[in-house]
């Protein structure tokens, strides 16, 4: 069971890519525009869903179900995209120009709406569950946002599938190091604060990590070079990796303590 969960991301990736290729091939062969929504959906979702499955397979004691993750990705993604879109539109309308830091603040806040609701609804509240829920919410947001960019590119390129492929590939590859990593980190900190009964130090820790996520998001939107993206991606994934490893160690320690008590 653990082996299957650990390597389930490979199945998600392989099956997702196979389905994407099949739809793409059919679209090119038939020229049927009805297939394009399926092409964009699959292309935008494969990498984010693979990354969620990859994290879910790590050696961490998660208590959140697959159904909850799927619902979080769907509902959290829709709520996040709609909220961010409306707030950014209103801010742009009122200010005439929207600073990049405002974009980062709005989007990072919007992606936390679903995790914020779930932190009060789920028990027990463990940081590992928060991390996975945050990544799922970020995955839903990234998928829908990528679909929007791909659709705009399709129109602007007058139906070029190659242009759409470029957008789907670039945003798909970068999504784990962007929206998913940032929301995973902040949601894990949110769950940590809840686990510690909203103690001032835990809340300040959450605020600090949220500020870091906004700063990384702002830098990502402000710097347009490949080198900058590579550095920010390394930092974001590095922070997520360190957090995941720490939660994994804590999970194994807690299991060992519980096992020792049971044998005593």
């Amino acid at each position: 069971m653990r082996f299957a969960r650990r390597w389930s991301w490979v199945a998600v990736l392989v099956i997702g890519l196979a389905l994407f290729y099949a739809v793409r091939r059919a679209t090119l062969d038939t020229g049927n525009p009805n297939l394009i929504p399926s092409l964009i959906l699959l292309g935008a979702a494969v990498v984010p869903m693979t990354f969620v499955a990859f994290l879910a397979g790590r050696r961490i004691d998660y208590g959140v179900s697959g159904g909850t993750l799927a619902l979080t990705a769907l509902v959290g993604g829709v709520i996040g995209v709609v909220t961010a879109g409306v707030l950014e539109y209103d801010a742009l309308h009122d200010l005439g120009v929207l600073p990049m830091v405002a974009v980062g603040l709005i989007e990072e806040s919007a992606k936390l709406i679903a995790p914020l609701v779930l932190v009060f609804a789920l028990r027990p509240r463990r940081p590992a569950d928060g991390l996975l829920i945050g990544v799922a919410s970020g995955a839903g947001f990234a998928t829908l946002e990528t679909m929007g960019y791909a659709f705009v590119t399709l129109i602007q390129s007058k139906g070029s599938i190659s242009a759409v492929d470029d957008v789907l590939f670039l945003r798909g590859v970068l999504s784990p190091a962007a929206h998913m990593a940032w929301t995973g980190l902040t949601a894990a900190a949110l769950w940590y604060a809840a686990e510690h009964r909203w103690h001032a130090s835990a809340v300040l820790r959450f605020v600090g990590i949220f500020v870091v996520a906004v700063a990384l998001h702002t830098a990502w939107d402000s710097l347009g070079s490949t080198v900058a993206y590579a550095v920010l991606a390394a930092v974001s994934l590095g922070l997520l990796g360190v957090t995941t490893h720490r939660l994994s160690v804590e999970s194994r320690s807690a299991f060992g303590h519980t096992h020792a008590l049971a044998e005593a």
Side-chain angles (χ1 to χ4, degrees), residues 9-97:
W9 67 271
V10 177
V12 174
L13 178 62
V14 171
I15 293 173
L17 289 177
L19 292 174
F20 174 78
Y21 178 78
V23 173
R24 186 180 186 278
R25 189 71 265 164
T27 302
L28 293 175
D29 290 344
T30 65
N32 185 354
N34 291 333
L35 296 174
I36 292 178
S38 298
L39 178 73
I40 292 177
L41 173 60
L42 285 169
V46 169
V47 173
M49 294 304 105
T50 298
F51 193 67
V52 172
F54 173 77
L55 282 181
R58 300 310 89 196
R59 296 181 61 186
I60 303 179
D61 184 21
Y62 294 115
V64 62
S65 67
T68 299
L69 291 178
L71 188 62
T72 300
L74 176 60
V75 177
V78 171
I79 291 176
V81 167
V82 171
T83 302
V86 171
L87 291 178
E88 288 173 5
Y89 174 81
D90 289 343
L92 186 61
H93 181 268
D94 294 339
L95 301 177
V97 61

Side-chain angles (χ1 to χ4, degrees), residues 10-193:
V10 177
V12 174
L13 178 62
V14 171
I15 293 173
L17 289 177
L19 292 174
F20 174 78
Y21 178 78
V23 173
R24 186 180 186 278
R25 189 71 265 164
T27 302
L28 293 175
D29 290 344
T30 65
N32 185 354
N34 291 333
L35 296 174
I36 292 178
S38 298
L39 178 73
I40 292 177
L41 173 60
L42 285 169
V46 169
V47 173
M49 294 304 105
T50 298
F51 193 67
V52 172
F54 173 77
L55 282 181
R58 300 310 89 196
R59 296 181 61 186
I60 303 179
D61 184 21
Y62 294 115
V64 62
S65 67
T68 299
L69 291 178
L71 188 62
T72 300
L74 176 60
V75 177
V78 171
I79 291 176
V81 167
V82 171
T83 302
V86 171
L87 291 178
E88 288 173 5
Y89 174 81
D90 289 343
L92 186 61
H93 181 268
D94 294 339
L95 301 177
V97 61
L98 188 60
M100 286 303 176
V101 66
V103 174
L105 179 61
I106 289 172
E107 293 192 0
E108 291 308 312
S109 299
K111 289 183 293 176
L112 275 180
I113 293 175
L116 185 60
V117 172
L118 290 174
V119 77
F120 290 104
L122 299 179
R123 295 291 189 281
R125 295 180 295 202
R126 292 174 291 191
D129 291 343
L131 183 141
L132 198 53
I133 285 173
V135 168
S137 182
F141 187 97
T143 297
L144 293 174
E145 189 178 57
T146 297
M147 290 175 65
Y149 277 101
F151 179 70
V152 171
T153 298
L154 181 72
I155 295 175
Q156 292 178 341
S157 65
K158 298 180 180 180
S160 172
I161 299 299
S162 296
V164 172
D165 285 343
D166 292 340
V167 172
L168 293 175
F169 177 77
L170 179 61
R171 294 189 63 85
V173 169
L174 294 178
S175 62
H179 288 303
M180 299 171 71
W182 303 330
T183 310
L185 291 168
T186 51
L190 179 64
W191 250 254
Y192 178 86

Side-chain angles (χ1 to χ4, degrees), residues 224-233:
S225 71
T226 303
V227 174
Y229 285 151
V231 171
L232 290 171

